[in-house]
Amino acid sequence: MKKILVANRGEIAIRVMKTAKKMGIKTVAVYSTVDRDAPHVKFADEAVCIGEAPSNQSYLLGSKIIEVAMQLDADAIHPGYGFLSENADFAEEVEKNNLIFIGPKSKAIQIMGSKLAAKDAVKAYDIPMVPGIDEAITDTDKAKAIAKDIGFPILIKASAGGGGKGMRIVEKEEDLESQMQRAISEATSAFGDGSVFIEKYVASPRHIEIQIMADSHGNVIHLFERECSVQRRHQKVVEEAPSSVLTPKLRSKMGEAAVKVAKACDYLGAGTVEFLLDENHNFYFLEMNTRLQVEHPVTELITGVDLVALQIKVARGEKLPIAQGDLKIKGHALELRVYAEDPLNDFLPSVGRLDVYQIPVGEGIRVDNGFEEGMDIPIYYDPMLAKLITYGNTREEAILLMIKAISEYKVEGVQTTLTFGKFVCEHEAFTSGHFDTHFVKKYYSAEKIQTNTAQEAKIAAIVAMKHYLKDQQTLRIPTH
């Protein structure tokens, strides 16, 4: 493998290219007209414009991307995450054109892309599931009968869904019909598929995911867990590894279950198996993400393993160079997704120009970044600017370093989730480890950040005044 085309943009494109360059592999960037001067374009050995700003006219044009790869004699395509990364048709088209898709085979993407097909595939492997039904329905009467059987509260979920779309929590029977209709219409407009399924709603769950890696020689390993419970709108913002609640025994059981899920769909490459963990530490299979995850750096830091390098190696047909017994957890890592969003206004996207953009540096600090000072943030894509990752010997150390790194991260021109990250890291529920996926709902409000900011400004003003008075006093002292 001498040349890889990275079918993505921003920080993940640069992240993949960095490892490729270390491995002596040339890289090709693709970009839309609005990304012409983006850092990933400058970082690559070659770059090709593939279309206009909207992603359906550029980054989602699978056939065009394959055409570019072939014209430039690339051997492989790495999809990153988002865009075409979990598109089975794209993976299949890449393979048909004798290019290597750095990811699983299209069949595995297809099975795991449907929540119901995924549940069906892992059924035979004795993996715990949330009580519910394993068929898609659109009939409200049938839904009522099922809900009564498993007991309220229940969760309605879009079969083809993701990112919290087509998802509804129903506390009581009389709300079922209206919530079901909403879920169906939301799923239809988001995914072109209105089928939903019903399962028991786990009241205070933690979102725990296991990183797996599989080669084409029958070897599957897991690289421990990531805790992803701090979310807004069912999407992660703060992630860490390892989880503060998993015992070695539970970690081992969940790791083994994740390996079974990978075997159930004849998996290849990097993937993540997501579980819900209830308050009694029972875990349930949720879904599998058939790609590299946004939060993969925390796993890399605690294991010392470059996951992109492993992806490339297994895509080349090599055996995994590490066995399960070689892996040990060392230290603790924390990641904050730095989005151009306004935490004071319901996390709505905050577009504009990065008038000031300076990232923190130092031991134990890693920033996977996709932007530069002076750049405009395009409205067409996910508003993530970068990922701020800190690593320490202990969880406390990683948290303190994260607070310090946030204070050194300078952004002006747009609002970001940095203030929210600071709020999380300083909150007793987070520092004690006693939190679940309802952290934002339970503890967070815009007013709290505003109060904290006002208090900090007041303290800063008092300190400044004390310094001023002290200086004045020093000036007045006669020297002879």
Side-chain angles (χ1 to χ4, degrees), residues 304-332:
V305 172
D306 182 330
L307 292 173
V308 176
L310 284 189
Q311 279 190 301
I312 293 169
K313 284 175 182 173
V314 300
R316 289 196 297 215
E318 294 174 31
K319 265 188 178 173
L320 279 170
I322 42 174
Q324 193 65 57
D326 302 330
L327 291 161
K328 300 275 182 291
I329 295 175
K330 188 176 183 294
H332 198 97

PDB file of all heavy atoms in Angstrom, residues 304-332:
ATOM      1  N   GLY A 304      -1.440   2.624  24.406  1.00  0.00           N
ATOM      2  CA  GLY A 304      -0.202   2.839  23.663  1.00  0.00           C
ATOM      3  C   GLY A 304      -0.261   2.270  22.253  1.00  0.00           C
ATOM      4  O   GLY A 304       0.766   1.990  21.640  1.00  0.00           O
ATOM      5  N   VAL A 305      -1.482   2.097  21.731  1.00  0.00           N
ATOM      6  CA  VAL A 305      -1.669   1.496  20.401  1.00  0.00           C
ATOM      7  C   VAL A 305      -2.206   2.536  19.420  1.00  0.00           C
ATOM      8  O   VAL A 305      -3.128   3.279  19.745  1.00  0.00           O
ATOM      9  CB  VAL A 305      -2.668   0.306  20.486  1.00  0.00           C
ATOM     10  CG1 VAL A 305      -3.035  -0.203  19.103  1.00  0.00           C
ATOM     11  CG2 VAL A 305      -2.088  -0.829  21.320  1.00  0.00           C
ATOM     12  N   ASP A 306      -1.615   2.598  18.211  1.00  0.00           N
ATOM     13  CA  ASP A 306      -2.110   3.484  17.152  1.00  0.00           C
ATOM     14  C   ASP A 306      -3.183   2.712  16.381  1.00  0.00           C
ATOM     15  O   ASP A 306      -2.886   1.797  15.614  1.00  0.00           O
ATOM     16  CB  ASP A 306      -0.936   3.871  16.226  1.00  0.00           C
ATOM     17  CG  ASP A 306      -1.356   4.837  15.115  1.00  0.00           C
ATOM     18  OD1 ASP A 306      -2.515   4.785  14.674  1.00  0.00           O
ATOM     19  OD2 ASP A 306      -0.495   5.626  14.669  1.00  0.00           O
ATOM     20  N   LEU A 307      -4.448   3.076  16.592  1.00  0.00           N
ATOM     21  CA  LEU A 307      -5.556   2.329  15.984  1.00  0.00           C
ATOM     22  C   LEU A 307      -5.604   2.482  14.464  1.00  0.00           C
ATOM     23  O   LEU A 307      -5.981   1.546  13.758  1.00  0.00           O
ATOM     24  CB  LEU A 307      -6.896   2.765  16.594  1.00  0.00           C
ATOM     25  CG  LEU A 307      -7.105   2.367  18.067  1.00  0.00           C
ATOM     26  CD1 LEU A 307      -8.366   2.986  18.619  1.00  0.00           C
ATOM     27  CD2 LEU A 307      -7.164   0.853  18.231  1.00  0.00           C
ATOM     28  N   VAL A 308      -5.212   3.646  13.956  1.00  0.00           N
ATOM     29  CA  VAL A 308      -5.199   3.851  12.497  1.00  0.00           C
ATOM     30  C   VAL A 308      -4.134   2.958  11.859  1.00  0.00           C
ATOM     31  O   VAL A 308      -4.358   2.359  10.801  1.00  0.00           O
ATOM     32  CB  VAL A 308      -5.003   5.341  12.130  1.00  0.00           C
ATOM     33  CG1 VAL A 308      -4.902   5.522  10.619  1.00  0.00           C
ATOM     34  CG2 VAL A 308      -6.167   6.183  12.675  1.00  0.00           C
ATOM     35  N   ALA A 309      -2.982   2.828  12.518  1.00  0.00           N
ATOM     36  CA  ALA A 309      -1.918   1.948  12.005  1.00  0.00           C
ATOM     37  C   ALA A 309      -2.412   0.504  11.944  1.00  0.00           C
ATOM     38  O   ALA A 309      -2.169  -0.207  10.959  1.00  0.00           O
ATOM     39  CB  ALA A 309      -0.674   2.048  12.879  1.00  0.00           C
ATOM     40  N   LEU A 310      -3.150   0.081  12.988  1.00  0.00           N
ATOM     41  CA  LEU A 310      -3.705  -1.278  12.985  1.00  0.00           C
ATOM     42  C   LEU A 310      -4.733  -1.443  11.865  1.00  0.00           C
ATOM     43  O   LEU A 310      -4.768  -2.474  11.200  1.00  0.00           O
ATOM     44  CB  LEU A 310      -4.374  -1.606  14.329  1.00  0.00           C
ATOM     45  CG  LEU A 310      -3.475  -1.930  15.524  1.00  0.00           C
ATOM     46  CD1 LEU A 310      -4.316  -2.440  16.686  1.00  0.00           C
ATOM     47  CD2 LEU A 310      -2.406  -2.962  15.192  1.00  0.00           C
ATOM     48  N   GLN A 311      -5.569  -0.403  11.648  1.00  0.00           N
ATOM     49  CA  GLN A 311      -6.550  -0.454  10.556  1.00  0.00           C
ATOM     50  C   GLN A 311      -5.854  -0.692   9.216  1.00  0.00           C
ATOM     51  O   GLN A 311      -6.291  -1.511   8.413  1.00  0.00           O
ATOM     52  CB  GLN A 311      -7.298   0.888  10.459  1.00  0.00           C
ATOM     53  CG  GLN A 311      -8.433   1.090  11.428  1.00  0.00           C
ATOM     54  CD  GLN A 311      -9.226   2.344  11.055  1.00  0.00           C
ATOM     55  OE1 GLN A 311      -8.686   3.449  11.011  1.00  0.00           O
ATOM     56  NE2 GLN A 311     -10.495   2.180  10.777  1.00  0.00           N
ATOM     57  N   ILE A 312      -4.777   0.052   9.000  1.00  0.00           N
ATOM     58  CA  ILE A 312      -4.042  -0.061   7.732  1.00  0.00           C
ATOM     59  C   ILE A 312      -3.408  -1.442   7.597  1.00  0.00           C
ATOM     60  O   ILE A 312      -3.474  -2.072   6.540  1.00  0.00           O
ATOM     61  CB  ILE A 312      -3.000   1.080   7.601  1.00  0.00           C
ATOM     62  CG1 ILE A 312      -3.712   2.439   7.455  1.00  0.00           C
ATOM     63  CG2 ILE A 312      -2.044   0.838   6.421  1.00  0.00           C
ATOM     64  CD1 ILE A 312      -2.810   3.667   7.576  1.00  0.00           C
ATOM     65  N   LYS A 313      -2.824  -1.926   8.693  1.00  0.00           N
ATOM     66  CA  LYS A 313      -2.161  -3.236   8.646  1.00  0.00           C
ATOM     67  C   LYS A 313      -3.143  -4.362   8.331  1.00  0.00           C
ATOM     68  O   LYS A 313      -2.863  -5.218   7.485  1.00  0.00           O
ATOM     69  CB  LYS A 313      -1.438  -3.516   9.977  1.00  0.00           C
ATOM     70  CG  LYS A 313      -0.134  -2.734  10.092  1.00  0.00           C
ATOM     71  CD  LYS A 313       0.511  -2.907  11.452  1.00  0.00           C
ATOM     72  CE  LYS A 313       1.797  -2.070  11.533  1.00  0.00           C
ATOM     73  NZ  LYS A 313       2.365  -2.076  12.884  1.00  0.00           N
ATOM     74  N   VAL A 314      -4.307  -4.375   9.016  1.00  0.00           N
ATOM     75  CA  VAL A 314      -5.246  -5.470   8.752  1.00  0.00           C
ATOM     76  C   VAL A 314      -5.891  -5.329   7.365  1.00  0.00           C
ATOM     77  O   VAL A 314      -6.206  -6.329   6.720  1.00  0.00           O
ATOM     78  CB  VAL A 314      -6.325  -5.655   9.856  1.00  0.00           C
ATOM     79  CG1 VAL A 314      -5.693  -5.956  11.198  1.00  0.00           C
ATOM     80  CG2 VAL A 314      -7.261  -4.483   9.955  1.00  0.00           C
ATOM     81  N   ALA A 315      -6.029  -4.087   6.887  1.00  0.00           N
ATOM     82  CA  ALA A 315      -6.565  -3.864   5.531  1.00  0.00           C
ATOM     83  C   ALA A 315      -5.594  -4.408   4.484  1.00  0.00           C
ATOM     84  O   ALA A 315      -6.000  -4.822   3.399  1.00  0.00           O
ATOM     85  CB  ALA A 315      -6.833  -2.385   5.303  1.00  0.00           C
ATOM     86  N   ARG A 316      -4.291  -4.404   4.812  1.00  0.00           N
ATOM     87  CA  ARG A 316      -3.273  -4.946   3.900  1.00  0.00           C
ATOM     88  C   ARG A 316      -3.201  -6.469   3.978  1.00  0.00           C
ATOM     89  O   ARG A 316      -2.395  -7.092   3.305  1.00  0.00           O
ATOM     90  CB  ARG A 316      -1.880  -4.395   4.269  1.00  0.00           C
ATOM     91  CG  ARG A 316      -1.696  -2.940   3.958  1.00  0.00           C
ATOM     92  CD  ARG A 316      -0.241  -2.499   3.948  1.00  0.00           C
ATOM     93  NE  ARG A 316       0.456  -2.622   5.216  1.00  0.00           N
ATOM     94  CZ  ARG A 316       1.400  -1.768   5.640  1.00  0.00           C
ATOM     95  NH1 ARG A 316       1.728  -0.726   4.884  1.00  0.00           N
ATOM     96  NH2 ARG A 316       2.012  -1.953   6.783  1.00  0.00           N
ATOM     97  N   GLY A 317      -4.031  -7.039   4.860  1.00  0.00           N
ATOM     98  CA  GLY A 317      -4.042  -8.500   4.974  1.00  0.00           C
ATOM     99  C   GLY A 317      -3.096  -9.044   6.027  1.00  0.00           C
ATOM    100  O   GLY A 317      -2.896 -10.260   6.142  1.00  0.00           O
ATOM    101  N   GLU A 318      -2.483  -8.151   6.809  1.00  0.00           N
ATOM    102  CA  GLU A 318      -1.533  -8.613   7.829  1.00  0.00           C
ATOM    103  C   GLU A 318      -2.253  -9.147   9.064  1.00  0.00           C
ATOM    104  O   GLU A 318      -3.405  -8.798   9.331  1.00  0.00           O
ATOM    105  CB  GLU A 318      -0.618  -7.447   8.255  1.00  0.00           C
ATOM    106  CG  GLU A 318       0.309  -6.967   7.152  1.00  0.00           C
ATOM    107  CD  GLU A 318       1.100  -5.726   7.571  1.00  0.00           C
ATOM    108  OE1 GLU A 318       1.392  -5.582   8.773  1.00  0.00           O
ATOM    109  OE2 GLU A 318       1.419  -4.900   6.681  1.00  0.00           O
ATOM    110  N   LYS A 319      -1.548  -9.978   9.814  1.00  0.00           N
ATOM    111  CA  LYS A 319      -2.064 -10.475  11.090  1.00  0.00           C
ATOM    112  C   LYS A 319      -1.936  -9.369  12.127  1.00  0.00           C
ATOM    113  O   LYS A 319      -0.989  -8.583  12.073  1.00  0.00           O
ATOM    114  CB  LYS A 319      -1.230 -11.679  11.559  1.00  0.00           C
ATOM    115  CG  LYS A 319      -1.811 -13.016  11.172  1.00  0.00           C
ATOM    116  CD  LYS A 319      -1.023 -14.141  11.841  1.00  0.00           C
ATOM    117  CE  LYS A 319      -1.662 -15.479  11.470  1.00  0.00           C
ATOM    118  NZ  LYS A 319      -0.885 -16.605  11.939  1.00  0.00           N
ATOM    119  N   LEU A 320      -2.835  -9.352  13.097  1.00  0.00           N
ATOM    120  CA  LEU A 320      -2.711  -8.379  14.192  1.00  0.00           C
ATOM    121  C   LEU A 320      -1.385  -8.608  14.909  1.00  0.00           C
ATOM    122  O   LEU A 320      -1.079  -9.741  15.288  1.00  0.00           O
ATOM    123  CB  LEU A 320      -3.864  -8.536  15.185  1.00  0.00           C
ATOM    124  CG  LEU A 320      -5.200  -7.878  14.831  1.00  0.00           C
ATOM    125  CD1 LEU A 320      -6.278  -8.327  15.797  1.00  0.00           C
ATOM    126  CD2 LEU A 320      -5.094  -6.358  14.837  1.00  0.00           C
ATOM    127  N   PRO A 321      -0.588  -7.553  15.110  1.00  0.00           N
ATOM    128  CA  PRO A 321       0.714  -7.737  15.753  1.00  0.00           C
ATOM    129  C   PRO A 321       0.632  -7.889  17.272  1.00  0.00           C
ATOM    130  O   PRO A 321       1.638  -8.119  17.932  1.00  0.00           O
ATOM    131  CB  PRO A 321       1.470  -6.457  15.375  1.00  0.00           C
ATOM    132  CG  PRO A 321       0.413  -5.439  15.152  1.00  0.00           C
ATOM    133  CD  PRO A 321      -0.812  -6.158  14.683  1.00  0.00           C
ATOM    134  N   ILE A 322      -0.587  -7.747  17.826  1.00  0.00           N
ATOM    135  CA  ILE A 322      -0.737  -7.893  19.285  1.00  0.00           C
ATOM    136  C   ILE A 322      -1.845  -8.883  19.611  1.00  0.00           C
ATOM    137  O   ILE A 322      -2.827  -8.992  18.879  1.00  0.00           O
ATOM    138  CB  ILE A 322      -1.042  -6.535  19.989  1.00  0.00           C
ATOM    139  CG1 ILE A 322      -2.052  -5.719  19.183  1.00  0.00           C
ATOM    140  CG2 ILE A 322       0.190  -5.752  20.313  1.00  0.00           C
ATOM    141  CD1 ILE A 322      -2.526  -4.453  19.837  1.00  0.00           C
ATOM    142  N   ALA A 323      -1.672  -9.581  20.733  1.00  0.00           N
ATOM    143  CA  ALA A 323      -2.701 -10.510  21.210  1.00  0.00           C
ATOM    144  C   ALA A 323      -3.371  -9.896  22.431  1.00  0.00           C
ATOM    145  O   ALA A 323      -2.858  -8.937  23.017  1.00  0.00           O
ATOM    146  CB  ALA A 323      -2.040 -11.830  21.582  1.00  0.00           C
ATOM    147  N   GLN A 324      -4.534 -10.457  22.813  1.00  0.00           N
ATOM    148  CA  GLN A 324      -5.291  -9.916  23.953  1.00  0.00           C
ATOM    149  C   GLN A 324      -4.426  -9.809  25.211  1.00  0.00           C
ATOM    150  O   GLN A 324      -4.468  -8.808  25.919  1.00  0.00           O
ATOM    151  CB  GLN A 324      -6.509 -10.795  24.228  1.00  0.00           C
ATOM    152  CG  GLN A 324      -7.530 -10.174  25.176  1.00  0.00           C
ATOM    153  CD  GLN A 324      -8.181  -8.924  24.610  1.00  0.00           C
ATOM    154  OE1 GLN A 324      -8.773  -8.943  23.553  1.00  0.00           O
ATOM    155  NE2 GLN A 324      -8.050  -7.808  25.307  1.00  0.00           N
ATOM    156  N   GLY A 325      -3.617 -10.821  25.450  1.00  0.00           N
ATOM    157  CA  GLY A 325      -2.787 -10.851  26.662  1.00  0.00           C
ATOM    158  C   GLY A 325      -1.718  -9.773  26.716  1.00  0.00           C
ATOM    159  O   GLY A 325      -1.181  -9.466  27.780  1.00  0.00           O
ATOM    160  N   ASP A 326      -1.389  -9.191  25.550  1.00  0.00           N
ATOM    161  CA  ASP A 326      -0.355  -8.132  25.509  1.00  0.00           C
ATOM    162  C   ASP A 326      -0.892  -6.790  25.988  1.00  0.00           C
ATOM    163  O   ASP A 326      -0.121  -5.872  26.272  1.00  0.00           O
ATOM    164  CB  ASP A 326       0.169  -7.938  24.071  1.00  0.00           C
ATOM    165  CG  ASP A 326       0.750  -9.214  23.484  1.00  0.00           C
ATOM    166  OD1 ASP A 326       1.273 -10.019  24.277  1.00  0.00           O
ATOM    167  OD2 ASP A 326       0.674  -9.397  22.254  1.00  0.00           O
ATOM    168  N   LEU A 327      -2.215  -6.655  26.025  1.00  0.00           N
ATOM    169  CA  LEU A 327      -2.815  -5.343  26.295  1.00  0.00           C
ATOM    170  C   LEU A 327      -3.040  -5.104  27.785  1.00  0.00           C
ATOM    171  O   LEU A 327      -3.586  -5.944  28.488  1.00  0.00           O
ATOM    172  CB  LEU A 327      -4.147  -5.211  25.547  1.00  0.00           C
ATOM    173  CG  LEU A 327      -4.029  -5.121  24.029  1.00  0.00           C
ATOM    174  CD1 LEU A 327      -5.342  -5.458  23.352  1.00  0.00           C
ATOM    175  CD2 LEU A 327      -3.568  -3.718  23.604  1.00  0.00           C
ATOM    176  N   LYS A 328      -2.614  -3.937  28.233  1.00  0.00           N
ATOM    177  CA  LYS A 328      -2.807  -3.535  29.635  1.00  0.00           C
ATOM    178  C   LYS A 328      -3.274  -2.075  29.643  1.00  0.00           C
ATOM    179  O   LYS A 328      -2.871  -1.293  28.784  1.00  0.00           O
ATOM    180  CB  LYS A 328      -1.478  -3.597  30.406  1.00  0.00           C
ATOM    181  CG  LYS A 328      -0.833  -4.991  30.449  1.00  0.00           C
ATOM    182  CD  LYS A 328      -1.373  -5.856  31.580  1.00  0.00           C
ATOM    183  CE  LYS A 328      -0.700  -7.214  31.631  1.00  0.00           C
ATOM    184  NZ  LYS A 328      -1.040  -8.099  30.513  1.00  0.00           N
ATOM    185  N   ILE A 329      -4.081  -1.737  30.646  1.00  0.00           N
ATOM    186  CA  ILE A 329      -4.519  -0.336  30.791  1.00  0.00           C
ATOM    187  C   ILE A 329      -3.460   0.416  31.585  1.00  0.00           C
ATOM    188  O   ILE A 329      -3.080   0.004  32.680  1.00  0.00           O
ATOM    189  CB  ILE A 329      -5.878  -0.227  31.526  1.00  0.00           C
ATOM    190  CG1 ILE A 329      -6.989  -0.866  30.675  1.00  0.00           C
ATOM    191  CG2 ILE A 329      -6.212   1.229  31.847  1.00  0.00           C
ATOM    192  CD1 ILE A 329      -8.342  -0.930  31.363  1.00  0.00           C
ATOM    193  N   LYS A 330      -2.998   1.517  31.031  1.00  0.00           N
ATOM    194  CA  LYS A 330      -2.021   2.334  31.746  1.00  0.00           C
ATOM    195  C   LYS A 330      -2.517   3.778  31.791  1.00  0.00           C
ATOM    196  O   LYS A 330      -2.707   4.408  30.750  1.00  0.00           O
ATOM    197  CB  LYS A 330      -0.664   2.262  31.026  1.00  0.00           C
ATOM    198  CG  LYS A 330       0.466   2.923  31.805  1.00  0.00           C
ATOM    199  CD  LYS A 330       1.807   2.730  31.098  1.00  0.00           C
ATOM    200  CE  LYS A 330       2.962   3.309  31.896  1.00  0.00           C
ATOM    201  NZ  LYS A 330       2.942   4.759  32.028  1.00  0.00           N
ATOM    202  N   GLY A 331      -2.757   4.282  33.005  1.00  0.00           N
ATOM    203  CA  GLY A 331      -3.187   5.670  33.159  1.00  0.00           C
ATOM    204  C   GLY A 331      -4.650   5.899  32.811  1.00  0.00           C
ATOM    205  O   GLY A 331      -5.451   4.961  32.741  1.00  0.00           O
ATOM    206  N   HIS A 332      -4.987   7.174  32.591  1.00  0.00           N
ATOM    207  CA  HIS A 332      -6.380   7.562  32.332  1.00  0.00           C
ATOM    208  C   HIS A 332      -6.410   8.692  31.301  1.00  0.00           C
ATOM    209  O   HIS A 332      -5.565   9.589  31.345  1.00  0.00           O
ATOM    210  CB  HIS A 332      -7.037   8.038  33.634  1.00  0.00           C
ATOM    211  CG  HIS A 332      -8.537   8.050  33.563  1.00  0.00           C
ATOM    212  ND1 HIS A 332      -9.313   7.027  34.047  1.00  0.00           N
ATOM    213  CD2 HIS A 332      -9.389   8.951  33.030  1.00  0.00           C
ATOM    214  CE1 HIS A 332     -10.593   7.306  33.828  1.00  0.00           C
ATOM    215  NE2 HIS A 332     -10.652   8.475  33.215  1.00  0.00           N
TER     216      HIS A 332
END
